[in-house]
Amino acid sequence: MRNVPKPRALITLLCIFGLVPLSFAQAQNEPGKYIGPGSCAATSCHGSVKPIANSRILQNEYSTWILKDKHSRAYQALTGAVGERMARILKLGAKAEEAPKCLACHALAPPVELRGRPFEISEGVSCENCHGPAQGWLGQHTAKDSEGKHAKSVNELHMTDTRNVIKRTETCLECHLGTSQKFVDHEMIAAGHPDLFFELDSFSAIMPRHWKQPRETASNQPAEDPAWVTVRDWSTGQAVQLRKSMDRLIWRAKNERYDKKDIWPEYSELSCFACHHSLGTAKDSWRQEHGFPGRRPGDPAYNTSRSIVFHLLAKQVDPSAAQDLEKQVTAVADEMGKLNPDRNAVVAAASAAVPSAQRIAERLATLEYNQELALRMLHQIADDSENIALADERAAEQAAMAIDSLYIAYSKQAKPANAPEVRAAINALFQQLENPSAYNADQFASALRRLRPLLH
């Protein structure tokens, strides 16, 4: 049997032949440091211009990222006129591309002491933002038997376990939802930053994906159907997003922000379009036509988009946990819908919702998905058209993305004869969301109802 050099020995040989710098080899005993995307760019690693045949991985991941992935251009978003204007409005005291507040999500910008070697921040959001600091695990990652060492890389050497859909979603949400150390608040939105929304499957498809679908399974298990992998990503991602949104609300209510501004309520937790929408005559207002159930007219509404569609799925897979979660999130929404919500009441209700959401996320991550569940969910969303539509534009947006993800998977399996007609109806939903300020709940609900009889 042929002997394969161990990772450290392999790196030593590469140093001897000048293929990696000596400083890199000397630093391999310092896990937790970042070394930049160039470490992944070799054609024999992840930098091939096209997928490699018969390879366990595609090996063109770096090329896909740098050419097609918007993450690679995240830094550039800071350098234009809008970025300069935002920095001026927010009084950052520096250009946006130099401000830690902006670089936290728009680049790989760890503290100097966590950089294993120089790399360019201008490269944007790169490999280690998602996969973790590579200095400790890169050596064994390149070894031929590295697959068996994945657990050590994750448990001891700071690799992020992106194979775990819950962990992967949590990693995405660090920027796409926020943490107490990096976030988008109402002040930043007012300065010009887009509001944050997220849906794991849709966002992964747009990246585009640079990993194989489905992921490999144990040899004694059947491979996952790619269609149902995407449904799993959508459903589990929704549960994790809801849990993390409760976490965010908790630290905001407790004022656990790194800049220590005592702002409450934080308006970015509320429905943007309850206030920011086109004004017309009272007789044409769908909002006034339906009234404001559950809150005093004029009080801003809590943004329920991260829960309203997800509740329909939760009821399908875990009715007991779904009932508890709905009560807890309703308590959050009721309190946040007041002009001056009680911080302690919000923390208590949100804290109660966190374990319920986690329980459902764990169930969804291992659930066996099929055509029946996908079709049932499509029906549920269409049947709940009015509640979803009246919850405002962000909820409608989540519904449209959910229907899109579910139907793509369902149609690949069922191959319905009317698929082009359904696709046109789904596209019509997205068209209603192109101008959020002009969103009309009655029109969106009507479009959802028209979709329902087509889903069979």
Side-chain angles (χ1 to χ4, degrees), residues 52-59 141 146-147 163 212 216:
I52 302 298
N54 302 317
S55 173
R56 183 180 61 81
I57 59 173
L58 297 172
Q59 292 191 232
H141 177 68
S146 62
E147 181 68 15
R163 299 179 187 182
K212 285 186 175 181
E216 292 145 317

Side-chain angles (χ1 to χ4, degrees), residues 261-275:
K261 291 181 180 178
D262 189 17
I263 297 175
W264 184 256
E266 170 48 54
Y267 283 3
S268 62
E269 295 286 354
L270 307 177
S271 171
C272 298
F273 303 104
C275 298

Side-chain angles (χ1 to χ4, degrees), residues 219-239:
S219 58
N220 62 342
Q221 296 177 345
E224 293 178 285
D225 188 306
W228 305 129
V229 171
T230 62
V231 175
R232 181 202 63 194
D233 288 355
W234 167 73
S235 61
T236 311
Q238 290 288 293

Side-chain angles (χ1 to χ4, degrees), residues 110-281:
V112 173
E113 64 271 17
L114 291 181
R115 300 183 191 185
R117 63 177 179 181
F119 57 85
E120 295 295 328
I121 290 178
S122 61
E123 291 172 308
V125 174
S126 57
C127 315
E128 291 166 292
N129 288 84
C130 301
H131 296 281
Q135 183 158 286
W137 50 261
L138 188 64
Q140 72 171 30
H141 177 68
T142 60
K144 195 167 185 178
D145 60 344
S146 62
E147 181 68 15
K149 297 178 180 177
H150 177 73
K152 181 179 179 182
S153 294
V154 169
N155 297 329
E156 301 177 24
L157 301 176
H158 302 280
M159 176 187 275
T160 303
D161 189 8
T162 55
R163 299 179 187 182
N164 182 317
V165 65
I166 292 178
K167 297 295 184 183
R168 184 170 6 127
T169 308
E170 290 173 343
T171 300
C172 298
L173 291 174
E174 286 182 11
C175 287
H176 287 278
L177 182 69
T179 70
S180 60
Q181 300 302 309
K182 48 185 181 182
F183 55 82
V184 171
D185 57 10
H186 193 251
E187 181 182 20
M188 293 178 68
I189 295 171
H193 196 290
D195 182 26
L196 297 181
F197 65 98
F198 180 76
E199 192 268 279
L200 181 62
D201 179 45
S202 296
F203 277 42
S204 297
I206 292 170
M207 281 179 63
R209 288 182 176 92
H210 54 257
W211 57 91
K212 285 186 175 181
Q213 292 278 39
R215 294 182 179 277
E216 292 145 317
T217 58
S219 58
N220 62 342
Q221 296 177 345
E224 293 178 285
D225 188 306
W228 305 129
V229 171
T230 62
V231 175
R232 181 202 63 194
D233 288 355
W234 167 73
S235 61
T236 311
Q238 290 288 293
V240 177
Q241 178 181 212
L242 177 55
R243 172 171 64 82
K244 297 301 288 185
S245 71
M246 294 294 103
D247 286 336
R248 185 180 72 172
L249 192 53
I250 290 166
W251 59 254
R252 279 177 163 165
K254 290 182 175 180
N255 197 33
E256 295 174 349
R257 292 166 42 158
Y258 75 85
D259 52 9
K260 301 299 181 185
K261 291 181 180 178
D262 189 17
I263 297 175
W264 184 256
E266 170 48 54
Y267 283 3
S268 62
E269 295 286 354
L270 307 177
S271 171
C272 298
F273 303 104
C275 298
H276 297 282
H277 58 81
S278 298
L279 297 176
T281 59

Side-chain angles (χ1 to χ4, degrees), residues 30-80:
E30 298 182 84
K33 289 194 174 183
Y34 296 81
I35 52 180
S39 303
C40 309
T43 55
S44 59
C45 296
H46 298 286
S48 173
V49 295
K50 61 181 180 180
I52 302 298
N54 302 317
S55 173
R56 183 180 61 81
I57 59 173
L58 297 172
Q59 292 191 232
N60 68 334
E61 294 84 0
Y62 175 88
S63 302
T64 299
W65 165 75
I66 201 166
L67 293 174
K68 300 179 180 179
D69 195 330
K70 290 183 179 180
H71 288 103
S72 67
R73 298 185 290 280
Y75 177 88
Q76 298 173 20
L78 304 177
T79 62

Side-chain angles (χ1 to χ4, degrees), residues 408-422:
I408 288 173
Y410 173 76
S411 60
K412 284 180 179 178
Q413 301 298 308
K415 296 181 172 50
N418 68 338
E421 187 179 3
V422 176

